[in-house]
Amino acid sequence: MPELASGPEINTYYDKVMQHKFLPSGRVSYHPMSNYLGEGRIVSLLSGNQTNVTVCKKTVDATYISPNIPATHTPSFTVADGVRVIAPNALPQLWLQRNGESVPQNFCILGAGKTAMDAVVWLLRHGATPESIQWVMPRDSWLLNRLQTQPGLEFFNNSMGGEADKLAAFAESKSIEEVFLKLEVLGQVLRIDPAQNPTMFHYATISTGEVELLRTIKQVIRKGRVLSIGHNAMVMAQGEMTMDPGTLYVDCTASALTTSRTGGPVFQEDRILIQLLRAPLVALSAALTAYVEVHGGDEAHKNKLCTPVPFPENLAGYARATHASMMNQYHWSQDKALRQWIRNSRLDGFGKMIADLDKADAEKVAVMARLRTNAMAAIANMPKLMV
């Protein structure tokens, strides 16, 4: 599969864009290490100085889908003095022994989301043994198989064929639980423990090799959320758990997105509120919002093209998000210029692949025909699955 960019590569990319394109243009002012307080007020975290910005046209508000950062969020549980709790990004610094702290021999991962999975995989790949790791998992999650999300014609049967299979599952199932079970048989989704029935789906995407690594962790603690951590035990929503006094706790409980807020429409007179337009593609959604702002006509039409997609809070949320994404896709397909823009955008991994499809390839053409047929049946059945 195509290589994934590392954190430093992503930071370098954005630094180059800022330093070599935006700032030299003279059209951008940049305020790093600052907080935006609203109403045009920007405060430096280093000096405390405030900058007031006069908005001439519109404010583009990207705070609605801002993530909670593990390194800066406040845990919801209490921690006794002397107990070591770190954010996952501090793991690579463990070799720096501070204040006489010894290198930990036991680890406890707090949280069941993708950050927790990444932390476990990192520990295992860097020498920790499965026996040294405990994992607090308040609930299990269905996971997307990374193989089904790859761009490029060499992955056509996995991506577009998989999409056709997914829509067939939505069309034929009597419940959302049945949808996921069908998708699991097809290799579309994965779960870490086949004996558990997941109740969470947040589009976490993972490879089968990573799942195999995660399954080596046998000390999985399913007693609900952590309420407090003491020197010898954790108090949890469903009981206590005795712990080794030297355990290092890795806090992965920060939520990637705050999903319960109501944001309203994307276009709000002098404000543009960035939201998901095709789940879970945040970057494509933001770029498409910018295109529609320039080319979309009046506000009512722009909001019709950019109906927010609700992020799933439970399994039924997957049906709601898929239905909303498909309806947006339909409206986009009716706009020739917008359809062409999406096809040429590198943020959409599948538009160009479909455009480059050899019409003489009967097998791939048949997959696309099956996808279109299944899409109509899936949309008709989805209201039943959203309950």
Side-chain angles (χ1 to χ4, degrees), residues 52-122:
N52 295 314
V53 177
T54 301
V55 178
C56 298
K57 191 171 183 182
K58 293 186 179 182
T59 297
V60 180
D61 186 348
T63 61
Y64 180 74
I65 51 176
S66 292
N68 293 313
I69 306 301
T72 59
H73 95 114
T74 301
S76 60
F77 50 86
T78 59
V79 181
D81 292 340
V83 174
R84 297 176 66 186
V85 179
I86 65 171
N89 60 301
L91 284 170
Q93 304 300 318
L94 287 181
W95 65 278
L96 292 171
Q97 297 184 35
R98 299 181 179 86
N99 301 322
E101 294 176 337
S102 59
V103 176
Q105 302 301 310
N106 297 293
F107 304 88
C108 183
I109 308 299
L110 309 177
K114 186 57 165 58
T115 301
M117 299 174 204
D118 290 342
V120 173
V121 169
W122 189 92

Side-chain angles (χ1 to χ4, degrees), residues 103-174:
V103 176
Q105 302 301 310
N106 297 293
F107 304 88
C108 183
I109 308 299
L110 309 177
K114 186 57 165 58
T115 301
M117 299 174 204
D118 290 342
V120 173
V121 169
W122 189 92
L123 284 169
L124 293 172
R125 285 179 172 169
H126 288 79
T129 65
E131 295 74 25
S132 68
I133 301 173
Q134 294 171 283
W135 190 354
V136 175
M137 194 176 293
R139 53 180 177 160
D140 287 69
S141 177
W142 285 109
L143 312 169
L144 288 178
N145 185 344
R146 189 177 297 281
L147 181 62
Q148 313 298 329
T149 67
Q150 302 305 299
L153 284 173
E154 65 271 31
F155 294 100
F156 182 90
N157 289 333
N158 301 107
S159 56
M160 303 316 299
E163 187 70 11
D165 289 339
K166 181 186 81 174
L167 293 175
F170 273 113
E172 298 165 3
S173 298
K174 294 180 174 60

Side-chain angles (χ1 to χ4, degrees), residues 27 29 31 36 38-42 50-60 270:
R27 300 173 64 194
S29 60
H31 301 271
Y36 177 64
E39 299 178 347
R41 295 174 297 148
I42 299 171
Q50 179 170 305
T51 301
N52 295 314
V53 177
T54 301
V55 178
C56 298
K57 191 171 183 182
K58 293 186 179 182
T59 297
V60 180
D270 60 350

Side-chain angles (χ1 to χ4, degrees), residues 29-350:
S29 60
Y30 179 40
H31 301 271
M33 295 296 293
S34 300
N35 272 339
Y36 177 64
L37 304 181
E39 299 178 347
R41 295 174 297 148
I42 299 171
V43 175
S44 170
L45 296 174
L46 302 181
S47 67
N49 292 335
Q50 179 170 305
T51 301
N52 295 314
V53 177
T54 301
V55 178
C56 298
K57 191 171 183 182
K58 293 186 179 182
T59 297
V60 180
D61 186 348
T63 61
Y64 180 74
I65 51 176
S66 292
N68 293 313
I69 306 301
T72 59
H73 95 114
T74 301
S76 60
F77 50 86
T78 59
V79 181
D81 292 340
V83 174
R84 297 176 66 186
V85 179
I86 65 171
N89 60 301
L91 284 170
Q93 304 300 318
L94 287 181
W95 65 278
L96 292 171
Q97 297 184 35
R98 299 181 179 86
N99 301 322
E101 294 176 337
S102 59
V103 176
Q105 302 301 310
N106 297 293
F107 304 88
C108 183
I109 308 299
L110 309 177
K114 186 57 165 58
T115 301
M117 299 174 204
D118 290 342
V120 173
V121 169
W122 189 92
L123 284 169
L124 293 172
R125 285 179 172 169
H126 288 79
T129 65
E131 295 74 25
S132 68
I133 301 173
Q134 294 171 283
W135 190 354
V136 175
M137 194 176 293
R139 53 180 177 160
D140 287 69
S141 177
W142 285 109
L143 312 169
L144 288 178
N145 185 344
R146 189 177 297 281
L147 181 62
Q148 313 298 329
T149 67
Q150 302 305 299
L153 284 173
E154 65 271 31
F155 294 100
F156 182 90
N157 289 333
N158 301 107
S159 56
M160 303 316 299
E163 187 70 11
D165 289 339
K166 181 186 81 174
L167 293 175
F170 273 113
E172 298 165 3
S173 298
K174 294 180 174 60
S175 68
I176 192 64
E177 290 79 10
E178 184 181 348
V179 171
F180 279 98
L181 292 175
K182 285 180 181 291
L183 294 179
E184 182 181 34
V185 171
L186 294 167
Q188 290 280 312
V189 299
L190 308 165
R191 51 178 157 174
I192 298 169
D193 188 345
Q196 299 293 324
N197 293 320
T199 59
M200 177 171 62
F201 177 75
H202 285 170
Y203 292 101
T205 304
I206 200 166
S207 68
T208 54
E210 289 171 307
V211 170
E212 290 172 5
L213 275 179
L214 296 174
R215 286 174 177 166
T216 66
I217 306 301
K218 304 303 182 185
Q219 299 182 85
V220 179
I221 304 169
R222 291 187 171 88
K223 294 188 176 184
R225 299 181 183 276
V226 176
L227 303 179
S228 64
I229 304 177
H231 292 282
N232 302 302
M234 284 190 297
V235 177
M236 312 180 75
Q238 299 168 19
E240 291 192 14
M241 184 73 186
T242 301
M243 302 295 292
D244 185 281
T247 298
L248 177 68
Y249 297 87
V250 185
D251 180 15
C252 303
T253 61
S255 298
L257 293 174
T258 303
T259 59
S260 59
R261 290 186 296 155
T262 300
V266 171
F267 297 96
Q268 305 176 14
E269 297 183 355
D270 60 350
R271 180 170 175 247
I272 301 174
L273 187 64
I274 303 297
Q275 298 177 71
L276 276 179
L277 304 181
R278 185 198 290 170
L281 304 182
V282 175
L284 174 64
S285 299
L288 192 140
T289 301
Y291 177 91
V292 171
E293 162 66 5
V294 175
H295 303 281
D298 61 37
E299 191 162 286
H301 183 64
K302 288 190 290 188
N303 278 322
K304 181 180 179 180
L305 292 174
C306 297
T307 300
V309 174
F311 192 79
E313 296 185 23
N314 49 34
L315 299 188
Y318 185 33
R320 284 189 287 271
T322 302
H323 183 271
S325 294
M326 292 176 68
M327 295 308 297
N328 276 344
Q329 188 73 39
Y330 169 76
H331 291 305
W332 302 340
S333 70
Q334 304 306 298
D335 186 313
K336 183 178 179 180
L338 177 55
R339 186 171 68 242
Q340 187 63 41
W341 179 85
I342 294 172
R343 181 175 297 176
N344 294 330
S345 172
R346 63 188 178 90
L347 299 175
D348 183 317
F350 305 121

